[in-house]
Amino acid sequence: MRIDILTLLPKLFDGPFSDSILKRAQEKGHVTIHLHNLRDYSTDKHKNVDDYQYGGGAGMVMRVEPIAACIEKLKAEREYDEIIYMTPDGELLEQGISNQLSINTNIMVLCGHYKGVDERIREHYISKEISIGSYVLSGGELAAAVLVDSIVRLIPGVLNDETSALTDSFQDNLLSPPVYTRPPSFNGWEVPEVLLSGNPKEIELWREREALRRTKIRRPDLLD
Ligand code: ADE
């Protein structure tokens, strides 16, 4: 998979993409991530990428020209399955969206700033608008990093044990059951007997029951 990210702050991605699973996924060739600084696409002499909004009011708007120039350049080079805009008024990100996006070949992700992007970009280029939650971040970059992480870990071969993505919380609309590791007793706090029983059927049953119990208590909305 190829992911192109359009941003005013490419350095913000240095951390999340240079460690752990995202780093390994890139090293193993499962994904290539390309950062594009929108300022490089501004043709005015001060490299401006924002301007006052028509009609007045506080807050700057990201200008149409640099974004359009970057998108057009990329679209001329390959076909994109989705051009995604990260915005608090987008569709709320959930596992199903990441699952769908993980089977794509080329996706573009546009990060907004200030008051957002000129609406004409949304009307003419964007195929999907995604929010990572009902709160406002300073820009779309952290949201894009969250989206990319949730997608890349689902690409076959990225996780060592492929089944571990399938047993993640949310994959079957259930939260994950509790997990334990050694020692079996710590401070008098015991690991549930059944997990030490060596009986795979009993263990599976216990995990299903616990997943359901946890979901009922914490996220009953998932069971609707
Ligand atoms: N940009 C600012 N806030 C955001 C959010 N909650 N989700 C996605 N993009 C955003």
Side-chain angles (χ1 to χ4, degrees):
M1 178 187 283
R2 175 185 169 114
I3 304 176
D4 290 276
I5 300 179
L6 284 54
T7 171
L8 291 172
L9 300 168
K11 279 207 302 241
L12 271 183
F13 294 94
D14 287 352
F17 292 171
S18 64
D19 229 319
S20 188
I21 289 170
L22 280 177
K23 179 183 180 203
R24 250 186 298 126
Q26 292 173 86
E27 285 172 352
K28 288 204 268 172
H30 294 298
V31 66
T32 56
I33 301 174
H34 304 261
L35 298 169
H36 306 276
N37 191 337
L38 289 167
R39 213 168 282 284
D40 298 338
Y41 292 84
S42 172
T43 51
D44 83 19
K45 67 173 187 270
H46 300 295
K47 294 274 174 205
N48 267 344
V49 287
D50 60 324
D51 209 337
Y52 298 101
Q53 54 177 311
Y54 278 125
M60 306 295 273
V61 175
M62 282 170 71
R63 290 174 42 217
V64 69
E65 296 101 319
I67 302 172
C70 185
I71 293 177
E72 288 291 351
K73 175 183 175 282
L74 292 171
K75 276 179 40 156
E77 292 166 356
R78 67 196 62 76
E79 244 182 70
Y80 284 87
D81 302 297
E82 299 282 0
I83 303 182
I84 300 163
Y85 176 48
M86 304 310 300
T87 174
D89 61 7
E91 181 183 2
L92 213 51
L93 180 62
E94 39 129 47
Q95 191 65 45
I97 297 176
S98 302
N99 290 351
Q100 276 172 15
L101 291 173
S102 72
I103 58 173
N104 286 325
T105 309
N106 299 310
I107 61 174
M108 218 189 281
V109 183
L110 170 63
C111 305
H113 256 270
Y114 317 116
K115 275 277 163 202
V117 301
D118 188 302
E119 188 68 16
R120 289 167 288 187
I121 292 292
R122 299 171 73 160
E123 283 170 7
H124 296 285
Y125 289 117
I126 299 300
S127 61
K128 215 173 188 48
E129 303 193 326
I130 295 179
S131 162
I132 64 158
S134 305
Y135 42 82
V136 178
L137 301 165
S138 309
E141 283 76 11
L142 296 180
V146 167
L147 176 69
V148 168
D149 184 293
S150 75
I151 294 170
V152 170
R153 62 196 305 284
L154 296 170
I155 299 172
V158 166
L159 296 183
N160 295 332
D161 177 1
E162 264 194 54
T163 61
S164 71
L166 295 176
T167 58
D168 279 347
S169 279
F170 305 112
Q171 282 297 6
D172 46 10
N173 269 347
L174 288 177
L175 301 180
S176 294
V179 291
Y180 300 85
T181 185
R182 288 184 292 184
S185 176
F186 173 77
N187 276 351
W189 309 334
E190 309 295 335
V191 171
E193 277 288 328
V194 58
L195 295 179
L196 311 173
S197 69
N199 182 335
K201 258 205 179 124
E202 284 294 314
I203 293 171
E204 192 50 36
L205 217 73
W206 180 86
R207 286 184 172 148
E208 279 170 21
R209 270 201 310 269
E210 287 299 313
L212 192 61
R213 195 167 70 88
R214 187 161 271 197
T215 309
K216 270 185 187 155
I217 294 167
R218 299 183 183 196
R219 293 292 305 276
D221 56 297
L222 292 175
L223 299 171
D224 292 343

mmCIF file with all atom_site columns, all heavy atoms in Angstrom, residues 85-90 92 111-113 130-144, ligand 1:
data_model
loop_
_atom_site.group_PDB
_atom_site.id
_atom_site.type_symbol
_atom_site.label_atom_id
_atom_site.label_alt_id
_atom_site.label_comp_id
_atom_site.label_asym_id
_atom_site.label_entity_id
_atom_site.label_seq_id
_atom_site.pdbx_PDB_ins_code
_atom_site.Cartn_x
_atom_site.Cartn_y
_atom_site.Cartn_z
_atom_site.occupancy
_atom_site.B_iso_or_equiv
_atom_site.pdbx_formal_charge
_atom_site.auth_seq_id
_atom_site.auth_comp_id
_atom_site.auth_asym_id
_atom_site.auth_atom_id
_atom_site.pdbx_PDB_model_num
ATOM   1   N N   . TYR A 1 85  ? -9.977  13.446 3.868  1.00 0.00 ? 85  TYR A N   1
ATOM   2   C CA  . TYR A 1 85  ? -9.733  14.699 4.575  1.00 0.00 ? 85  TYR A CA  1
ATOM   3   C C   . TYR A 1 85  ? -9.999  14.471 6.065  1.00 0.00 ? 85  TYR A C   1
ATOM   4   O O   . TYR A 1 85  ? -11.080 13.993 6.435  1.00 0.00 ? 85  TYR A O   1
ATOM   5   C CB  . TYR A 1 85  ? -10.651 15.792 4.015  1.00 0.00 ? 85  TYR A CB  1
ATOM   6   C CG  . TYR A 1 85  ? -10.566 17.117 4.742  1.00 0.00 ? 85  TYR A CG  1
ATOM   7   C CD1 . TYR A 1 85  ? -9.336  17.703 5.044  1.00 0.00 ? 85  TYR A CD1 1
ATOM   8   C CD2 . TYR A 1 85  ? -11.725 17.808 5.105  1.00 0.00 ? 85  TYR A CD2 1
ATOM   9   C CE1 . TYR A 1 85  ? -9.263  18.920 5.700  1.00 0.00 ? 85  TYR A CE1 1
ATOM   10  C CE2 . TYR A 1 85  ? -11.660 19.032 5.749  1.00 0.00 ? 85  TYR A CE2 1
ATOM   11  C CZ  . TYR A 1 85  ? -10.424 19.578 6.046  1.00 0.00 ? 85  TYR A CZ  1
ATOM   12  O OH  . TYR A 1 85  ? -10.355 20.778 6.699  1.00 0.00 ? 85  TYR A OH  1
ATOM   13  N N   . MET A 1 86  ? -9.006  14.771 6.915  1.00 0.00 ? 86  MET A N   1
ATOM   14  C CA  . MET A 1 86  ? -9.174  14.622 8.354  1.00 0.00 ? 86  MET A CA  1
ATOM   15  C C   . MET A 1 86  ? -9.842  15.892 8.893  1.00 0.00 ? 86  MET A C   1
ATOM   16  O O   . MET A 1 86  ? -9.306  16.995 8.742  1.00 0.00 ? 86  MET A O   1
ATOM   17  C CB  . MET A 1 86  ? -7.812  14.443 9.052  1.00 0.00 ? 86  MET A CB  1
ATOM   18  C CG  . MET A 1 86  ? -6.972  13.280 8.539  1.00 0.00 ? 86  MET A CG  1
ATOM   19  S SD  . MET A 1 86  ? -7.812  11.688 8.440  1.00 0.00 ? 86  MET A SD  1
ATOM   20  C CE  . MET A 1 86  ? -8.280  11.429 10.144 1.00 0.00 ? 86  MET A CE  1
ATOM   21  N N   . THR A 1 87  ? -11.005 15.736 9.494  1.00 0.00 ? 87  THR A N   1
ATOM   22  C CA  . THR A 1 87  ? -11.755 16.902 9.964  1.00 0.00 ? 87  THR A CA  1
ATOM   23  C C   . THR A 1 87  ? -12.708 16.500 11.087 1.00 0.00 ? 87  THR A C   1
ATOM   24  O O   . THR A 1 87  ? -13.275 15.398 11.048 1.00 0.00 ? 87  THR A O   1
ATOM   25  C CB  . THR A 1 87  ? -12.558 17.529 8.787  1.00 0.00 ? 87  THR A CB  1
ATOM   26  O OG1 . THR A 1 87  ? -13.386 18.574 9.289  1.00 0.00 ? 87  THR A OG1 1
ATOM   27  C CG2 . THR A 1 87  ? -13.419 16.507 8.074  1.00 0.00 ? 87  THR A CG2 1
ATOM   28  N N   . PRO A 1 88  ? -12.877 17.378 12.094 1.00 0.00 ? 88  PRO A N   1
ATOM   29  C CA  . PRO A 1 88  ? -13.775 17.009 13.202 1.00 0.00 ? 88  PRO A CA  1
ATOM   30  C C   . PRO A 1 88  ? -15.232 16.841 12.764 1.00 0.00 ? 88  PRO A C   1
ATOM   31  O O   . PRO A 1 88  ? -16.007 16.220 13.482 1.00 0.00 ? 88  PRO A O   1
ATOM   32  C CB  . PRO A 1 88  ? -13.627 18.166 14.197 1.00 0.00 ? 88  PRO A CB  1
ATOM   33  C CG  . PRO A 1 88  ? -12.875 19.248 13.497 1.00 0.00 ? 88  PRO A CG  1
ATOM   34  C CD  . PRO A 1 88  ? -12.178 18.650 12.333 1.00 0.00 ? 88  PRO A CD  1
ATOM   35  N N   . ASP A 1 89  ? -15.609 17.361 11.572 1.00 0.00 ? 89  ASP A N   1
ATOM   36  C CA  . ASP A 1 89  ? -17.003 17.151 11.142 1.00 0.00 ? 89  ASP A CA  1
ATOM   37  C C   . ASP A 1 89  ? -17.130 15.984 10.160 1.00 0.00 ? 89  ASP A C   1
ATOM   38  O O   . ASP A 1 89  ? -18.153 15.859 9.460  1.00 0.00 ? 89  ASP A O   1
ATOM   39  C CB  . ASP A 1 89  ? -17.637 18.440 10.593 1.00 0.00 ? 89  ASP A CB  1
ATOM   40  C CG  . ASP A 1 89  ? -16.911 18.996 9.373  1.00 0.00 ? 89  ASP A CG  1
ATOM   41  O OD1 . ASP A 1 89  ? -15.995 18.317 8.859  1.00 0.00 ? 89  ASP A OD1 1
ATOM   42  O OD2 . ASP A 1 89  ? -17.258 20.104 8.929  1.00 0.00 ? 89  ASP A OD2 1
ATOM   43  N N   . GLY A 1 90  ? -16.128 15.110 10.114 1.00 0.00 ? 90  GLY A N   1
ATOM   44  C CA  . GLY A 1 90  ? -16.197 13.934 9.252  1.00 0.00 ? 90  GLY A CA  1
ATOM   45  C C   . GLY A 1 90  ? -16.901 12.761 9.917  1.00 0.00 ? 90  GLY A C   1
ATOM   46  O O   . GLY A 1 90  ? -17.382 12.862 11.056 1.00 0.00 ? 90  GLY A O   1
ATOM   47  N N   . LEU A 1 92  ? -17.220 9.458  11.934 1.00 0.00 ? 92  LEU A N   1
ATOM   48  C CA  . LEU A 1 92  ? -16.446 9.016  13.094 1.00 0.00 ? 92  LEU A CA  1
ATOM   49  C C   . LEU A 1 92  ? -15.671 7.721  12.777 1.00 0.00 ? 92  LEU A C   1
ATOM   50  O O   . LEU A 1 92  ? -16.281 6.746  12.334 1.00 0.00 ? 92  LEU A O   1
ATOM   51  C CB  . LEU A 1 92  ? -17.397 8.797  14.264 1.00 0.00 ? 92  LEU A CB  1
ATOM   52  C CG  . LEU A 1 92  ? -16.888 9.083  15.670 1.00 0.00 ? 92  LEU A CG  1
ATOM   53  C CD1 . LEU A 1 92  ? -16.244 10.461 15.773 1.00 0.00 ? 92  LEU A CD1 1
ATOM   54  C CD2 . LEU A 1 92  ? -18.029 8.959  16.661 1.00 0.00 ? 92  LEU A CD2 1
ATOM   55  N N   . CYS A 1 111 ? -4.411  16.797 5.653  1.00 0.00 ? 111 CYS A N   1
ATOM   56  C CA  . CYS A 1 111 ? -4.537  17.289 7.024  1.00 0.00 ? 111 CYS A CA  1
ATOM   57  C C   . CYS A 1 111 ? -4.932  18.765 6.997  1.00 0.00 ? 111 CYS A C   1
ATOM   58  O O   . CYS A 1 111 ? -4.251  19.572 6.368  1.00 0.00 ? 111 CYS A O   1
ATOM   59  C CB  . CYS A 1 111 ? -3.215  17.156 7.771  1.00 0.00 ? 111 CYS A CB  1
ATOM   60  S SG  . CYS A 1 111 ? -2.564  15.480 7.748  1.00 0.00 ? 111 CYS A SG  1
ATOM   61  N N   . GLY A 1 112 ? -5.996  19.107 7.710  1.00 0.00 ? 112 GLY A N   1
ATOM   62  C CA  . GLY A 1 112 ? -6.446  20.494 7.765  1.00 0.00 ? 112 GLY A CA  1
ATOM   63  C C   . GLY A 1 112 ? -5.760  21.268 8.884  1.00 0.00 ? 112 GLY A C   1
ATOM   64  O O   . GLY A 1 112 ? -5.151  20.682 9.785  1.00 0.00 ? 112 GLY A O   1
ATOM   65  N N   . HIS A 1 113 ? -5.840  22.585 8.792  1.00 0.00 ? 113 HIS A N   1
ATOM   66  C CA  . HIS A 1 113 ? -5.317  23.475 9.839  1.00 0.00 ? 113 HIS A CA  1
ATOM   67  C C   . HIS A 1 113 ? -6.175  24.708 9.912  1.00 0.00 ? 113 HIS A C   1
ATOM   68  O O   . HIS A 1 113 ? -7.021  24.929 9.066  1.00 0.00 ? 113 HIS A O   1
ATOM   69  C CB  . HIS A 1 113 ? -3.879  23.884 9.519  1.00 0.00 ? 113 HIS A CB  1
ATOM   70  C CG  . HIS A 1 113 ? -2.914  23.140 10.358 1.00 0.00 ? 113 HIS A CG  1
ATOM   71  N ND1 . HIS A 1 113 ? -2.485  23.583 11.575 1.00 0.00 ? 113 HIS A ND1 1
ATOM   72  C CD2 . HIS A 1 113 ? -2.331  21.943 10.160 1.00 0.00 ? 113 HIS A CD2 1
ATOM   73  C CE1 . HIS A 1 113 ? -1.663  22.696 12.090 1.00 0.00 ? 113 HIS A CE1 1
ATOM   74  N NE2 . HIS A 1 113 ? -1.546  21.686 11.249 1.00 0.00 ? 113 HIS A NE2 1
ATOM   75  N N   . ILE A 1 130 ? -12.977 12.050 7.545  1.00 0.00 ? 130 ILE A N   1
ATOM   76  C CA  . ILE A 1 130 ? -12.906 11.236 8.760  1.00 0.00 ? 130 ILE A CA  1
ATOM   77  C C   . ILE A 1 130 ? -12.543 12.082 9.972  1.00 0.00 ? 130 ILE A C   1
ATOM   78  O O   . ILE A 1 130 ? -11.629 12.906 9.932  1.00 0.00 ? 130 ILE A O   1
ATOM   79  C CB  . ILE A 1 130 ? -11.880 10.087 8.589  1.00 0.00 ? 130 ILE A CB  1
ATOM   80  C CG1 . ILE A 1 130 ? -12.360 9.130  7.494  1.00 0.00 ? 130 ILE A CG1 1
ATOM   81  C CG2 . ILE A 1 130 ? -11.662 9.348  9.909  1.00 0.00 ? 130 ILE A CG2 1
ATOM   82  C CD1 . ILE A 1 130 ? -11.414 7.967  7.231  1.00 0.00 ? 130 ILE A CD1 1
ATOM   83  N N   . SER A 1 131 ? -13.297 11.841 11.067 1.00 0.00 ? 131 SER A N   1
ATOM   84  C CA  . SER A 1 131 ? -13.001 12.440 12.372 1.00 0.00 ? 131 SER A CA  1
ATOM   85  C C   . SER A 1 131 ? -12.543 11.322 13.305 1.00 0.00 ? 131 SER A C   1
ATOM   86  O O   . SER A 1 131 ? -13.053 10.212 13.225 1.00 0.00 ? 131 SER A O   1
ATOM   87  C CB  . SER A 1 131 ? -14.269 13.084 12.933 1.00 0.00 ? 131 SER A CB  1
ATOM   88  O OG  . SER A 1 131 ? -14.148 13.296 14.329 1.00 0.00 ? 131 SER A OG  1
ATOM   89  N N   . ILE A 1 132 ? -11.580 11.608 14.182 1.00 0.00 ? 132 ILE A N   1
ATOM   90  C CA  . ILE A 1 132 ? -11.185 10.559 15.133 1.00 0.00 ? 132 ILE A CA  1
ATOM   91  C C   . ILE A 1 132 ? -11.870 10.755 16.490 1.00 0.00 ? 132 ILE A C   1
ATOM   92  O O   . ILE A 1 132 ? -11.571 10.041 17.437 1.00 0.00 ? 132 ILE A O   1
ATOM   93  C CB  . ILE A 1 132 ? -9.650  10.439 15.311 1.00 0.00 ? 132 ILE A CB  1
ATOM   94  C CG1 . ILE A 1 132 ? -9.043  11.697 15.928 1.00 0.00 ? 132 ILE A CG1 1
ATOM   95  C CG2 . ILE A 1 132 ? -8.983  10.085 13.993 1.00 0.00 ? 132 ILE A CG2 1
ATOM   96  C CD1 . ILE A 1 132 ? -7.691  11.430 16.590 1.00 0.00 ? 132 ILE A CD1 1
ATOM   97  N N   . GLY A 1 133 ? -12.782 11.698 16.592 1.00 0.00 ? 133 GLY A N   1
ATOM   98  C CA  . GLY A 1 133 ? -13.505 11.858 17.845 1.00 0.00 ? 133 GLY A CA  1
ATOM   99  C C   . GLY A 1 133 ? -14.130 13.238 17.935 1.00 0.00 ? 133 GLY A C   1
ATOM   100 O O   . GLY A 1 133 ? -13.747 14.151 17.203 1.00 0.00 ? 133 GLY A O   1
ATOM   101 N N   . SER A 1 134 ? -15.074 13.377 18.860 1.00 0.00 ? 134 SER A N   1
ATOM   102 C CA  . SER A 1 134 ? -15.819 14.635 18.974 1.00 0.00 ? 134 SER A CA  1
ATOM   103 C C   . SER A 1 134 ? -15.074 15.636 19.841 1.00 0.00 ? 134 SER A C   1
ATOM   104 O O   . SER A 1 134 ? -15.499 15.950 20.956 1.00 0.00 ? 134 SER A O   1
ATOM   105 C CB  . SER A 1 134 ? -17.215 14.353 19.531 1.00 0.00 ? 134 SER A CB  1
ATOM   106 O OG  . SER A 1 134 ? -17.853 13.406 18.724 1.00 0.00 ? 134 SER A OG  1
ATOM   107 N N   . TYR A 1 135 ? -13.940 16.066 19.327 1.00 0.00 ? 135 TYR A N   1
ATOM   108 C CA  . TYR A 1 135 ? -13.127 17.100 19.973 1.00 0.00 ? 135 TYR A CA  1
ATOM   109 C C   . TYR A 1 135 ? -12.277 17.712 18.867 1.00 0.00 ? 135 TYR A C   1
ATOM   110 O O   . TYR A 1 135 ? -12.111 17.107 17.808 1.00 0.00 ? 135 TYR A O   1
ATOM   111 C CB  . TYR A 1 135 ? -12.229 16.506 21.070 1.00 0.00 ? 135 TYR A CB  1
ATOM   112 C CG  . TYR A 1 135 ? -11.590 15.207 20.651 1.00 0.00 ? 135 TYR A CG  1
ATOM   113 C CD1 . TYR A 1 135 ? -10.433 15.203 19.871 1.00 0.00 ? 135 TYR A CD1 1
ATOM   114 C CD2 . TYR A 1 135 ? -12.162 13.983 20.989 1.00 0.00 ? 135 TYR A CD2 1
ATOM   115 C CE1 . TYR A 1 135 ? -9.863  14.017 19.455 1.00 0.00 ? 135 TYR A CE1 1
ATOM   116 C CE2 . TYR A 1 135 ? -11.599 12.786 20.566 1.00 0.00 ? 135 TYR A CE2 1
ATOM   117 C CZ  . TYR A 1 135 ? -10.445 12.812 19.810 1.00 0.00 ? 135 TYR A CZ  1
ATOM   118 O OH  . TYR A 1 135 ? -9.889  11.646 19.377 1.00 0.00 ? 135 TYR A OH  1
ATOM   119 N N   . VAL A 1 136 ? -11.758 18.911 19.110 1.00 0.00 ? 136 VAL A N   1
ATOM   120 C CA  . VAL A 1 136 ? -11.017 19.587 18.060 1.00 0.00 ? 136 VAL A CA  1
ATOM   121 C C   . VAL A 1 136 ? -9.522  19.578 18.379 1.00 0.00 ? 136 VAL A C   1
ATOM   122 O O   . VAL A 1 136 ? -9.100  20.029 19.445 1.00 0.00 ? 136 VAL A O   1
ATOM   123 C CB  . VAL A 1 136 ? -11.515 21.037 17.879 1.00 0.00 ? 136 VAL A CB  1
ATOM   124 C CG1 . VAL A 1 136 ? -10.704 21.759 16.809 1.00 0.00 ? 136 VAL A CG1 1
ATOM   125 C CG2 . VAL A 1 136 ? -12.995 21.037 17.485 1.00 0.00 ? 136 VAL A CG2 1
ATOM   126 N N   . LEU A 1 137 ? -8.744  19.026 17.456 1.00 0.00 ? 137 LEU A N   1
ATOM   127 C CA  . LEU A 1 137 ? -7.284  19.033 17.571 1.00 0.00 ? 137 LEU A CA  1
ATOM   128 C C   . LEU A 1 137 ? -6.742  20.293 16.889 1.00 0.00 ? 137 LEU A C   1
ATOM   129 O O   . LEU A 1 137 ? -7.452  20.954 16.131 1.00 0.00 ? 137 LEU A O   1
ATOM   130 C CB  . LEU A 1 137 ? -6.715  17.789 16.891 1.00 0.00 ? 137 LEU A CB  1
ATOM   131 C CG  . LEU A 1 137 ? -7.187  16.450 17.442 1.00 0.00 ? 137 LEU A CG  1
ATOM   132 C CD1 . LEU A 1 137 ? -6.854  15.315 16.482 1.00 0.00 ? 137 LEU A CD1 1
ATOM   133 C CD2 . LEU A 1 137 ? -6.561  16.187 18.803 1.00 0.00 ? 137 LEU A CD2 1
ATOM   134 N N   . SER A 1 138 ? -5.462  20.567 17.128 1.00 0.00 ? 138 SER A N   1
ATOM   135 C CA  . SER A 1 138 ? -4.868  21.766 16.522 1.00 0.00 ? 138 SER A CA  1
ATOM   136 C C   . SER A 1 138 ? -4.718  21.627 15.014 1.00 0.00 ? 138 SER A C   1
ATOM   137 O O   . SER A 1 138 ? -4.574  22.607 14.303 1.00 0.00 ? 138 SER A O   1
ATOM   138 C CB  . SER A 1 138 ? -3.491  22.038 17.133 1.00 0.00 ? 138 SER A CB  1
ATOM   139 O OG  . SER A 1 138 ? -3.595  22.031 18.522 1.00 0.00 ? 138 SER A OG  1
ATOM   140 N N   . GLY A 1 139 ? -4.703  20.397 14.544 1.00 0.00 ? 139 GLY A N   1
ATOM   141 C CA  . GLY A 1 139 ? -4.591  20.162 13.100 1.00 0.00 ? 139 GLY A CA  1
ATOM   142 C C   . GLY A 1 139 ? -4.912  18.712 12.834 1.00 0.00 ? 139 GLY A C   1
ATOM   143 O O   . GLY A 1 139 ? -5.109  17.920 13.762 1.00 0.00 ? 139 GLY A O   1
ATOM   144 N N   . GLY A 1 140 ? -4.950  18.345 11.570 1.00 0.00 ? 140 GLY A N   1
ATOM   145 C CA  . GLY A 1 140 ? -5.329  16.981 11.212 1.00 0.00 ? 140 GLY A CA  1
ATOM   146 C C   . GLY A 1 140 ? -4.199  15.964 11.332 1.00 0.00 ? 140 GLY A C   1
ATOM   147 O O   . GLY A 1 140 ? -4.424  14.761 11.145 1.00 0.00 ? 140 GLY A O   1
ATOM   148 N N   . GLU A 1 141 ? -2.973  16.424 11.634 1.00 0.00 ? 141 GLU A N   1
ATOM   149 C CA  . GLU A 1 141 ? -1.814  15.522 11.605 1.00 0.00 ? 141 GLU A CA  1
ATOM   150 C C   . GLU A 1 141 ? -1.926  14.367 12.608 1.00 0.00 ? 141 GLU A C   1
ATOM   151 O O   . GLU A 1 141 ? -1.690  13.208 12.257 1.00 0.00 ? 141 GLU A O   1
ATOM   152 C CB  . GLU A 1 141 ? -0.513  16.291 11.840 1.00 0.00 ? 141 GLU A CB  1
ATOM   153 C CG  . GLU A 1 141 ? -0.019  17.072 10.634 1.00 0.00 ? 141 GLU A CG  1
ATOM   154 C CD  . GLU A 1 141 ? -0.805  18.350 10.381 1.00 0.00 ? 141 GLU A CD  1
ATOM   155 O OE1 . GLU A 1 141 ? -1.598  18.751 11.260 1.00 0.00 ? 141 GLU A OE1 1
ATOM   156 O OE2 . GLU A 1 141 ? -0.615  18.951 9.311  1.00 0.00 ? 141 GLU A OE2 1
ATOM   157 N N   . LEU A 1 142 ? -2.251  14.688 13.865 1.00 0.00 ? 142 LEU A N   1
ATOM   158 C CA  . LEU A 1 142 ? -2.325  13.612 14.865 1.00 0.00 ? 142 LEU A CA  1
ATOM   159 C C   . LEU A 1 142 ? -3.461  12.654 14.512 1.00 0.00 ? 142 LEU A C   1
ATOM   160 O O   . LEU A 1 142 ? -3.337  11.431 14.680 1.00 0.00 ? 142 LEU A O   1
ATOM   161 C CB  . LEU A 1 142 ? -2.512  14.192 16.268 1.00 0.00 ? 142 LEU A CB  1
ATOM   162 C CG  . LEU A 1 142 ? -1.350  15.057 16.782 1.00 0.00 ? 142 LEU A CG  1
ATOM   163 C CD1 . LEU A 1 142 ? -1.643  15.578 18.177 1.00 0.00 ? 142 LEU A CD1 1
ATOM   164 C CD2 . LEU A 1 142 ? -0.047  14.271 16.790 1.00 0.00 ? 142 LEU A CD2 1
ATOM   165 N N   . ALA A 1 143 ? -4.536  13.211 13.974 1.00 0.00 ? 143 ALA A N   1
ATOM   166 C CA  . ALA A 1 143 ? -5.655  12.363 13.543 1.00 0.00 ? 143 ALA A CA  1
ATOM   167 C C   . ALA A 1 143 ? -5.217  11.458 12.388 1.00 0.00 ? 143 ALA A C   1
ATOM   168 O O   . ALA A 1 143 ? -5.556  10.269 12.357 1.00 0.00 ? 143 ALA A O   1
ATOM   169 C CB  . ALA A 1 143 ? -6.834  13.230 13.125 1.00 0.00 ? 143 ALA A CB  1
ATOM   170 N N   . ALA A 1 144 ? -4.439  12.015 11.449 1.00 0.00 ? 144 ALA A N   1
ATOM   171 C CA  . ALA A 1 144 ? -3.966  11.209 10.311 1.00 0.00 ? 144 ALA A CA  1
ATOM   172 C C   . ALA A 1 144 ? -3.044  10.093 10.796 1.00 0.00 ? 144 ALA A C   1
ATOM   173 O O   . ALA A 1 144 ? -3.092  8.971  10.286 1.00 0.00 ? 144 ALA A O   1
ATOM   174 C CB  . ALA A 1 144 ? -3.241  12.105 9.304  1.00 0.00 ? 144 ALA A CB  1
HETATM 175 N N1  . ADE B 2 .   ? -8.727  17.883 12.923 1.00 0.00 ? 1   ADE B N1  1
HETATM 176 C C1  . ADE B 2 .   ? -8.986  18.563 14.056 1.00 0.00 ? 1   ADE B C1  1
HETATM 177 N N2  . ADE B 2 .   ? -9.694  17.834 14.911 1.00 0.00 ? 1   ADE B N2  1
HETATM 178 C C2  . ADE B 2 .   ? -9.883  16.626 14.318 1.00 0.00 ? 1   ADE B C2  1
HETATM 179 C C3  . ADE B 2 .   ? -10.560 15.440 14.704 1.00 0.00 ? 1   ADE B C3  1
HETATM 180 N N3  . ADE B 2 .   ? -11.179 15.317 15.880 1.00 0.00 ? 1   ADE B N3  1
HETATM 181 N N4  . ADE B 2 .   ? -10.569 14.407 13.834 1.00 0.00 ? 1   ADE B N4  1
HETATM 182 C C4  . ADE B 2 .   ? -9.960  14.516 12.624 1.00 0.00 ? 1   ADE B C4  1
HETATM 183 N N5  . ADE B 2 .   ? -9.340  15.608 12.220 1.00 0.00 ? 1   ADE B N5  1
HETATM 184 C C5  . ADE B 2 .   ? -9.289  16.666 13.037 1.00 0.00 ? 1   ADE B C5  1
#
